[in-house]
Amino acid sequence: MENVKDQWERNKAVAEILLKENKKVYIKDSEENLYFADILFVGEDSVRIICFAPEQRKGEKFTLYFPLIVKLNEYKEEI
């Protein structure tokens, strides 16, 4: 089973790649919150995002800490 440090490092690496490629992201945190966003900044311990969805978060900026991120992937629109 993946430990927290491995998950943290993996999520940070993915966030850095997606920021560099200017890709949108899907993030799920440990409290089951969902974020559909653009990455603004990737720090050592956290990622700064601005949401485009869901509607109640649209336009809001969040700082999410890597140890609390359960899933971080490239956002893919369904066709």
Side-chain angles (χ1 to χ4, degrees):
M1 185 167 156
E2 185 176 46
N3 67 38
V4 173
K5 186 68 175 167
D6 291 339
Q7 182 178 347
W8 176 341
E9 291 173 358
R10 180 179 44 79
N11 284 334
K12 182 178 181 229
V14 170
E16 288 171 340
I17 291 166
L18 295 176
L19 173 61
K20 182 177 138 185
E21 294 182 358
N22 199 32
K23 303 278 186 169
K24 296 183 181 307
V25 295
Y26 158 80
I27 299 173
K28 180 178 175 183
D29 71 14
S30 60
E31 294 182 0
E32 302 289 319
N33 294 310
L34 301 177
Y35 304 87
F36 300 92
D38 291 300
I39 298 175
L40 300 173
F41 175 78
V42 178
E44 194 61 35
D45 301 327
S46 63
V47 61
R48 183 84 169 147
I49 60 170
I50 185 165
C51 291
F52 61 85
E55 192 61 39
Q56 69 267 27
R57 289 196 179 97
K58 189 174 183 177
E60 289 188 50
K61 294 179 183 176
F62 294 90
T63 299
L64 303 174
Y65 296 95
F66 288 118
L68 300 176
I69 295 174
V70 175
K71 185 177 241 181
L72 188 152
N73 285 318
E74 179 181 351
Y75 171 77
K76 296 179 181 161
E77 291 186 52
E78 293 183 8
I79 299 173

